[in-house]
Amino acid sequence: MSLLEEVELLRRVPLFADIEPAKLKLIAFTSERVTFDPDEYVFHQGDMGDAAYIIMEGDADVLIDGPGGARAVARVGRNEFIGEIAILCDVPRTASIRARSRVVTLRISKDLFFRLLTDFPKMSVTIMRVIAQRLENTTAQLRRVLAEAQLAEAEIAKAHSAEG
Amino acid sequence: MTDQPATIEQVSEPRLVEAAASTTIGPVPASQPMEKSIYGFILRHSLKDQLFVVGLTAVSLPFYYLSLDLPKTIVNAINGKGLRETIDGVHLTQTGYLSLLCAAFLALVFVNGGFKYWINVLKGRLGERMLRRLRFELYHRILRFPLLQFRRTSPGELIPMITSEVEPLGGFIGDAFALPAQQGGTLLTAIFFLFVQDPVLGAAAVALYPLQGYVIPKLQRKVNQLGKQRVRTIRTLADRVGESVGGIQEIHANDSARLQLADFAERLGRIYEIRFEIYQRKFFVKFLNNMINQLTPFFFYSIGGYLVIRGQLSFGSLVAVLSAYKDLAAPWKELLDFYQTKEDCRIKYEQVVEQFQPPGLIDRSLQLAEPDNVPHLGGEIAVSKLIYSEDDRAHILNGVTASLPFGPHIAIVGSGSSGKSEFAMLLARLLVPSAGRIMIGGQDLNQMPYAVTGRRIAYVAAAAGLFAASIRENLLFGLKHRPVVPPTYDAATAKRRHKMLVEARRAGNSDFDMQADWIDYGRAEIDDSAAMTRRLLEMVEFVGMEDDIYHLGLRGRLDVKRRAEAAEGFVAARKALAELLVEAGMAHLVERFEVDRYNTNLTFSDNLLFGTPVDDTFAPARLASNPYVLQVLDKVGLTDDLIRSGLKVAETMLELFADLAPGHEFFDQFSFIAYDELPDYRAILNRASAGIERLKAADRTRLIALPFRLIETRHRLGLIDDSLRRRIVEARQVFRDDLPEALRSKIEFFDPERYNEASSILENVLFGSIAFDAAQGSSRVQELVTQVLDRMDLCPVVSEVGLDYQVGSAGSRLTVTQRQKLAIARAVIKRPDLLILNEAVAALDPAAQQQILTALREHCQGMAMIVVLQRARFARHFDHVVVMEQGRLIEQGSFAELDHPESSMTQLIEAET
């Protein structure tokens, strides 16, 4: 796959959607292509992050360590941007990523990522929007869970009073 | 060895001249101060040579006088018509007489020339020898400086003193007596000649000399003062450069470049003023001298002319006088120059020497004496009323009186200002007590020869120094005190070597042979160099550096001539690795070198060379301008394609990087074109639009250089297609087949069956390139490499190669931790009686500290050890604990004895947690 194809691919990643093609080419040229074999880990939960990845081919499991060992909680695939939280907030990886098939990624190192953010303010805004979107999703999810819990509580209370 | 007995004897009895060949301390002369004046130095070391040169000059003078006198006779002979001469009863015609005189003149020319040549050669040799002696003496003095002196004098000042400041002295020393003798003699001869011709004219010629003799030294005095200032300011300038180099991080980090530049400019300004003033004044002296010299002929023309007209002086005499006077000007000018040089050198010498006479210079006899047997140290360490202070820090040690057991491992603890570190340095004899004594086994430490203390005591500082040599050399540093096994030379080398030794002795230099084996195997209790290598590897493991050394070895080069067997082993390992990679399903991680296939993980140019450049000839940066490479490209018809690729690369680079700010880090990291070069390439692209065949050679070279750097899998520019790949492989073959004989040795081709000496061991075993896009490819493959090498028992060879790693200036190519570990290994290899560690492990992480201290405790059983600890809590692992506070020893005993709530040790430990 050549640089031009990578640029095409980058354009489909929401994070880079608003960035002009010439800059996308620079991003592609300055990042590394890294291939992972099936079952190989892209990174492990708890490690310090030094790079983010864009999946260009294949798909991978998102694993979270639980009391009973690692548990797959989601799946990521083509065009998805992963691992940016750890490099943005300097926190350890919040999850592990394990390749399900042969996974081809574009690896954007932490230095390069921040360089890009300073050079292309537009990208910061997009990142902000993506993250805000995610926050919104998470909040909505939380709201739903809370509402369900309330409902359940109310039903339990109703059942109690019915019994009483 | 036996066929050169005389030479061997010379070599095996090395000594330092004046330190005498003696093996006892007695006859070594005690330290002498350096001569205060340069003439003192010259007389003391070269009186005989100087006398010989002066004597020779004296012998040459009568011939010179004759050569002055002869022209007068010749002129008179030509002038006097019909004159006949009788010499020893032989009658000569005028022409015959003239021929005889001319023959004599010719002979005198040769004789005078011969003398001049001989004298100059002698002077040159004399000067060079004396310069060598002076430099040697100065350097030796640096080695004898007390440590404190290095706080007052920086290397930035010392280096120019030994190198450039004394340089002109060599030339002067050769001339010191010979030149005034020769030129003074010449001058006197000429004056004498003038007086013989005519006393009045003679008096006229020298009439102004008293005036010159009075005025010139007066003027020179001011020049001398300025000369002193010049030396001082230049020295601080040198020091300043040194400071800037040392503090370069601070300068960058604090944006202090402008301040530094201003400071430097100001210093240069001062030097400019001084130098220009010296020049003006020196020139004025010369100007004055010239003027006065020009005045004298006035007397000749007026008085001499008058006397000739009156018939009181022959015309021939006046001509001879005039020509003699012309000869007078030359030596006079030489003498004046000499006088100025002499003053200059006198000041230089005095100013250098005064820097090399610090108080507390280490005694030369103690430093160089070589006792018959070096006694072991033992018995109690008794310290009495030990006081140590430095210039501005009074009483760092404030009267320490104690006796320490010799044998049990001792920990010294205390706060940073307790004096514990200085105490350790005093025990290691690196510092000299201000008062009080340190006795070991009843002997005063500071009265022993250094041969004893330096070999029986090992010391490791908190920031240990390494030398710019291999790791092996650094580890063996503590075992090299004097040549042990003389080298074997063939007859011719032995002869040359002998000559060198004689010359060294004449200049008072050391005549120890650097080529000899200096390693004291006996003291390390080791038989030969093979066993020593094993020992070094053990020690490296002991300090926990085996992995580091192994990895350095993997990247190092094997000396195939010496280790042919190992080279074969690595070629076999290459095959085993290939199989293992397939077995482990990792074959795709390494793209092997195959002569008929393009390697996508190598640069374009490496694909063309398909080998390792041995020197600069085929170095990547110069490849595009290499005529042979261009010729090969032409032959396979690749040139135009490459230029077209180059244009595409340039276009891409311009597109990607053109609007980035100058100095953007992407230029260094990613761009093929530096920021400054962007406009050039833009211009080249413009010119190319008119057709690439019209590009100039320089443009073509620059364009070809661009695709040469492409690595297909890394840069992914999609510029290399199948046909290009095929033709590169073709070109690779042509490159090999056509390579002229003269270039054969410049490249080592990749050959699956042969070990490639120009590549590292790792590259040899891999015989391929690791795929750029494989996650953690490099570490995964290296694991397999190690597996293979381990299975084939080749790891020790790799580690041995690792020992040859060059550590760089002061060990700068190693980390602080690595340096510290090597320094500890170096100390232990010596097998000292007493090992002193002065916070030597503080740079290591706590776990490694604990580990290495435990290992040392175990390894050094039966050896006395004194360890200054940064953290008091480690004291619990030692036999004996000494607690210091404010320059005093306040308690000592076993850890158990001191382990109670009131003890200072407990307080120190508590303060740490």
Side-chain angles (χ1 to χ4, degrees):
Chain A
M1 196 188 296
S2 83
L3 212 56
L4 288 177
E5 292 166 290
E6 283 169 16
V7 172
E8 273 311 300
L9 222 134
L10 281 177
R11 284 175 68 176
R12 278 180 242 138
V13 179
L15 183 59
F16 300 115
D18 287 344
I19 293 176
E20 46 194 302
K23 294 302 162 215
L24 285 181
K25 205 166 170 184
L26 182 65
I27 294 169
F29 187 71
T30 49
S31 49
E32 269 174 76
R33 182 150 33 159
V34 184
T35 310
F36 296 87
D37 291 335
D39 288 338
E40 205 178 332
Y41 279 84
V42 178
F43 49 75
H44 291 272
Q45 183 177 346
D47 288 355
M48 286 315 289
D50 59 349
Y53 298 83
I54 296 158
I55 300 181
M56 302 196 301
E57 240 179 76
D59 54 357
D61 282 327
V62 181
L63 307 171
I64 288 181
D65 293 342
R71 198 160 56 92
V73 293
R75 191 175 290 180
V76 285
R78 213 174 141 107
N79 297 349
E80 269 180 283
F81 192 52
I82 51 174
E84 79 284 7
I85 294 177
I87 59 173
L88 266 175
C89 319
D90 260 331
V91 291
R93 299 285 192 198
T94 51
S96 302
I97 305 284
R98 189 175 60 198
R100 287 172 59 85
S101 57
R102 182 169 170 274
V103 172
V104 180
T105 64
L106 214 53
R107 179 181 185 274
I108 299 183
S109 71
K110 190 171 166 178
D111 290 347
L112 175 63
F113 188 66
F114 279 103
R115 196 74 239 191
L116 291 172
L117 289 188
T118 31
D119 286 356
F120 310 123
K122 232 183 194 177
M123 221 175 109
S124 306
V125 176
T126 317
I127 287 257
M128 228 164 16
R129 198 174 297 142
V130 169
I131 289 177
Q133 188 69 50
R134 268 194 212 157
L135 184 66
E136 169 54 30
N137 287 347
T138 317
T139 320
Q141 247 170 4
L142 189 64
R143 229 178 358 241
R144 211 165 44 239
V145 172
L146 279 177
E148 276 167 18
Q150 239 167 15
L151 209 69
E153 229 170 86
E155 285 203 358
I156 290 167
K158 216 158 58 180
H160 272 287
S161 62
E163 269 170 33
Chain B
M1 236 168 115
T2 40
D3 48 12
Q4 286 294 325
T7 318
I8 295 305
E9 202 183 286
Q10 283 289 358
V11 177
S12 62
E13 268 305 322
R15 67 207 162 94
L16 215 84
V17 177
E18 289 182 326
S22 152
T23 45
T24 53
I25 319 165
V28 180
S31 303
Q32 277 178 325
M34 280 190 81
E35 294 72 21
K36 286 219 164 45
S37 82
I38 188 162
Y39 271 93
F41 177 73
I42 294 170
L43 285 176
R44 175 150 162 232
H45 297 293
S46 67
L47 180 61
K48 254 197 266 168
D49 292 311
Q50 298 281 3
L51 283 180
F52 185 71
V53 174
V54 171
L56 202 61
T57 311
V59 173
S60 74
L61 281 178
F63 295 95
Y64 178 68
Y65 178 82
L66 281 178
S67 75
L68 284 183
D69 195 49
L70 202 55
K72 186 188 76 174
T73 322
I74 295 177
V75 171
N76 283 336
I78 300 167
N79 228 10
K81 282 211 163 59
L83 183 123
R84 279 173 192 278
E85 196 71 20
T86 313
I87 297 169
D88 286 338
V90 183
H91 294 281
L92 289 171
T93 60
Q94 188 181 7
T95 25
Y97 182 49
L98 179 68
S99 333
L100 184 72
L101 287 176
C102 287
F105 182 81
L106 198 63
L108 279 175
V109 168
F110 282 115
V111 170
N112 281 328
F115 269 118
K116 217 174 230 174
Y117 179 77
W118 191 11
I119 291 169
N120 277 323
V121 168
L122 287 179
K123 282 198 303 195
R125 196 172 64 183
L126 174 61
E128 294 307 323
R129 242 177 224 160
M130 289 293 280
L131 177 63
R132 181 178 178 179
R133 176 188 290 274
L134 180 62
R135 282 192 169 142
F136 182 80
E137 174 66 29
L138 293 178
Y139 177 70
H140 190 183
R141 275 173 180 261
I142 291 182
L143 298 188
R144 288 166 57 202
F145 276 5
L147 286 195
L148 263 185
Q149 181 65 17
F150 293 103
R151 269 189 231 162
R152 299 185 196 118
T153 326
S154 72
E157 291 174 281
L158 289 174
I159 295 164
M161 284 192 236
I162 294 192
T163 52
S164 57
E165 281 186 34
V166 296
E167 179 94 34
L169 299 190
F172 168 73
I173 290 172
D175 280 337
F177 290 96
L179 193 134
Q182 190 184 13
Q183 300 299 338
T186 311
L187 189 72
L188 286 177
T189 313
I191 293 173
F192 177 70
F193 175 78
L194 284 177
F195 271 98
V196 170
Q197 295 307 315
D198 189 283
V200 182
L201 282 180
V206 300
L208 293 174
Y209 281 4
L211 177 71
Q212 281 163 295
Y214 175 75
V215 176
I216 290 170
K218 286 221 138 169
L219 293 171
Q220 183 65 32
R221 209 163 300 148
K222 181 70 192 167
V223 177
N224 290 349
Q225 275 172 13
L226 287 167
K228 279 184 197 167
Q229 276 183 38
R230 179 181 61 183
V231 171
R232 271 198 299 271
T233 44
I234 297 262
R235 238 176 239 170
T236 57
L237 187 80
D239 189 34
R240 193 70 221 161
V241 175
E243 285 254 288
S244 301
V245 172
I248 194 73
Q249 289 186 19
E250 278 63 32
I251 294 175
H252 288 322
N254 293 303
D255 180 29
S256 143
R258 279 170 222 85
L259 181 69
Q260 304 304 321
L261 288 173
D263 177 77
F264 203 72
E266 199 175 300
R267 286 167 196 274
L268 287 177
R270 231 170 292 148
I271 292 171
Y272 163 81
E273 275 167 22
I274 295 172
R275 288 187 64 97
F276 187 53
E277 195 169 346
I278 290 178
Y279 174 80
Q280 275 179 309
R281 286 177 184 271
K282 266 192 175 172
F283 186 75
F284 182 71
V285 170
K286 283 194 177 139
F287 162 79
L288 198 70
N289 182 55
N290 265 345
M291 279 295 289
I292 296 174
N293 280 350
Q294 298 292 321
L295 284 176
T296 316
F298 163 79
F299 296 111
F300 289 138
Y301 294 129
S302 50
I303 304 174
Y306 175 76
L307 290 175
V308 171
I309 293 168
R310 290 279 303 271
Q312 286 173 352
L313 187 73
S314 73
F315 175 66
S317 295
L318 181 62
V319 172
V321 164
L322 276 171
S323 98
Y325 181 72
K326 230 173 59 209
D327 288 332
L328 214 60
W332 178 258
K333 189 174 156 294
E334 290 275 334
L335 281 176
L336 181 75
D337 282 346
F338 172 78
Y339 171 70
Q340 291 191 321
T341 317
K342 187 206 90 181
E343 290 299 295
D344 203 37
C345 290
R346 182 175 65 83
I347 289 161
K348 282 203 172 113
Y349 178 87
E350 283 163 16
Q351 287 206 315
V352 168
V353 166
E354 75 183 17
Q355 294 297 321
F356 285 79
Q357 315 264 37
L361 210 57
I362 290 169
D363 193 308
R364 188 190 173 106
S365 52
L366 287 184
Q367 189 180 51
L368 294 180
E370 185 63 55
D372 280 334
N373 66 326
V374 180
H376 280 280
L377 294 179
E380 172 191 68
I381 303 174
V383 178
S384 62
K385 297 187 195 118
L386 191 64
I387 293 180
Y388 178 73
S389 22
E390 286 171 7
D391 312 330
D392 43 354
R393 295 166 63 208
H395 303 307
I396 296 166
L397 284 191
N398 204 353
V400 175
T401 301
S403 84
L404 303 174
F406 193 98
H409 294 172
I410 302 174
I412 304 182
V413 296
S415 71
S417 59
S418 61
K420 59 179 178 177
S421 175
E422 285 82 359
F423 186 47
M425 290 176 84
L426 284 159
L427 289 174
R429 203 193 186 179
L430 291 171
L431 297 175
V432 180
S434 308
R437 275 202 295 188
I438 302 170
M439 312 283 279
I440 297 182
Q443 277 198 302
D444 190 335
L445 182 72
N446 286 291
Q447 295 304 319
M448 295 182 200
Y450 278 80
V452 177
T453 50
R455 295 176 208 189
R456 297 302 181 203
I457 301 176
Y459 172 85
V460 186
L466 297 184
F467 289 88
S470 65
I471 290 176
R472 181 194 304 271
E473 296 290 313
N474 270 296
L475 287 174
L476 292 172
F477 189 73
L479 289 174
K480 294 177 173 183
H481 309 291
R482 53 173 298 164
V484 179
V485 188
T488 36
Y489 290 124
D490 58 49
T493 325
K495 210 170 153 190
R496 199 157 4 113
R497 180 71 211 154
H498 179 70
K499 228 176 123 183
M500 275 169 64
L501 288 186
V502 171
E503 190 53 51
R505 290 193 192 114
R506 292 192 86 137
N509 277 210
S510 164
D511 57 0
F512 290 130
D513 192 341
M514 280 302 287
Q515 311 307 318
D517 194 346
W518 285 61
I519 303 166
D520 192 347
Y521 294 106
R523 208 156 46 75
E525 290 160 36
I526 272 169
D527 302 330
D528 54 14
S529 77
M532 182 56 94
T533 301
R534 281 197 297 278
R535 181 75 199 285
L536 293 184
L537 290 176
E538 272 167 40
M539 291 319 298
V540 159
E541 201 175 326
F542 171 70
V543 291
M545 261 188 81
E546 66 273 26
D547 281 349
D548 303 32
I549 300 286
Y550 170 77
H551 283 107
L552 291 174
L554 272 184
R555 275 163 189 80
R557 286 187 202 164
L558 186 75
D559 183 352
V560 176
K561 272 179 222 78
R562 278 180 45 230
R563 317 284 314 242
E565 215 174 298
E568 272 169 41
F570 287 121
V571 174
R574 181 185 289 177
K575 290 184 182 124
L577 177 74
E579 282 160 24
L580 191 59
L581 278 167
V582 175
E583 246 171 66
M586 283 157 68
H588 62 287
L589 292 185
V590 179
E591 188 174 5
R592 283 176 66 83
F593 298 146
E594 282 170 55
V595 76
D596 51 2
R597 259 195 45 213
Y598 188 88
N599 189 316
T600 56
N601 287 294
L602 281 181
T603 63
F604 196 92
S605 57
D606 280 343
N607 264 294
L608 174 64
L609 291 185
F610 205 65
T612 319
V614 172
D615 63 8
D616 275 356
T617 318
F618 290 120
R622 299 171 54 176
L623 216 52
S625 49
N626 183 303
Y628 177 65
V629 171
L630 294 178
Q631 181 194 321
V632 170
L633 292 178
D634 270 338
K635 187 165 174 187
V636 293
L638 261 175
T639 314
D640 285 352
D641 291 296
L642 274 181
I643 292 174
R644 258 178 237 118
S645 304
L647 287 170
K648 279 192 202 138
V649 174
E651 260 168 43
T652 312
M653 292 300 143
L654 284 171
E655 182 193 346
L656 289 176
F657 297 102
D659 51 355
L660 292 185
H664 195 290
E665 62 202 53
F666 280 2
F667 283 107
D668 278 351
Q669 287 175 13
F670 301 108
S671 179
F672 283 32
I673 301 175
Y675 180 80
D676 318 336
E677 290 180 315
L678 287 176
D680 296 358
Y681 279 95
R682 204 167 283 135
I684 293 176
L685 281 177
N686 272 335
R687 287 198 284 275
S689 56
I692 57 166
E693 60 285 346
R694 292 170 66 183
L695 284 172
K696 276 181 288 191
D699 287 351
R700 294 161 77 93
T701 307
R702 287 178 92 173
L703 286 174
I704 291 175
L706 292 179
F708 268 9
R709 294 167 59 187
L710 278 181
I711 299 172
E712 204 178 333
T713 46
R714 182 172 162 205
H715 298 113
R716 319 183 295 274
L717 291 181
L719 291 177
I720 302 175
D721 58 16
D722 274 340
S723 116
L724 203 57
R725 277 185 212 125
R726 210 175 44 243
R727 273 180 306 149
I728 279 289
V729 174
E730 238 172 78
R732 177 190 291 177
Q733 202 56 50
V734 173
F735 185 94
R736 262 183 204 219
D737 295 343
D738 290 4
L739 192 67
E741 196 59 46
L743 292 175
R744 287 270 149 95
S745 60
K746 307 292 185 198
I747 183 164
E748 275 235 33
F749 290 114
F750 298 141
D751 179 342
E753 303 302 325
R754 266 191 56 225
Y755 189 88
N756 184 328
E757 203 174 355
S759 297
S760 69
I761 292 180
L762 182 63
E763 287 166 327
N764 263 290
V765 177
L766 274 182
F767 198 69
S769 43
I770 293 175
F772 265 97
D773 61 352
Q776 278 124 44
S778 171
S779 58
R780 285 160 74 196
V781 171
Q782 233 180 73
E783 245 167 64
L784 286 196
V785 170
T786 303
Q787 243 181 62
V788 168
L789 293 180
D790 195 36
R791 215 168 52 200
M792 302 181 70
D793 237 359
L794 284 165
C795 287
V797 184
V798 176
S799 297
E800 276 179 45
V801 173
L803 286 178
D804 291 328
Y805 180 75
Q806 295 290 325
V807 303
S809 169
S812 56
R813 294 174 68 193
L814 298 176
T815 65
V816 178
T817 320
Q818 288 173 329
R819 289 205 285 271
Q820 229 32 50
K821 286 177 171 178
L822 283 182
I824 292 171
R826 173 174 70 190
V828 175
I829 286 169
K830 257 169 81 167
R831 290 190 182 263
D833 296 335
L834 169 61
L835 174 63
I836 300 176
L837 301 180
N838 193 353
E839 300 192 19
V841 290
L844 278 53
D845 62 76
Q849 283 190 27
Q850 175 73 55
Q851 202 180 340
I852 210 159
L853 284 177
T854 313
L856 275 170
R857 289 269 288 135
E858 217 166 279
H859 186 90
C860 302
Q861 286 305 325
M863 187 191 289
M865 186 157 81
I866 297 179
V867 180
V868 177
L869 290 174
Q870 193 196 24
R871 299 193 185 286
R873 63 190 148 98
F874 286 123
R876 76 174 65 243
H877 307 292
F878 286 80
D879 304 323
H880 193 86
V881 182
V882 170
V883 184
M884 296 192 62
E885 194 182 290
Q886 296 191 335
R888 288 179 191 280
L889 194 158
I890 51 171
E891 53 185 33
Q892 62 165 315
S894 70
F895 186 83
E897 281 164 12
L898 299 180
D899 191 18
H900 55 83
E902 289 86 54
S903 80
S904 306
M905 184 189 77
T906 311
Q907 284 165 19
L908 278 169
I909 295 177
E910 274 170 7
E912 277 167 17
T913 44

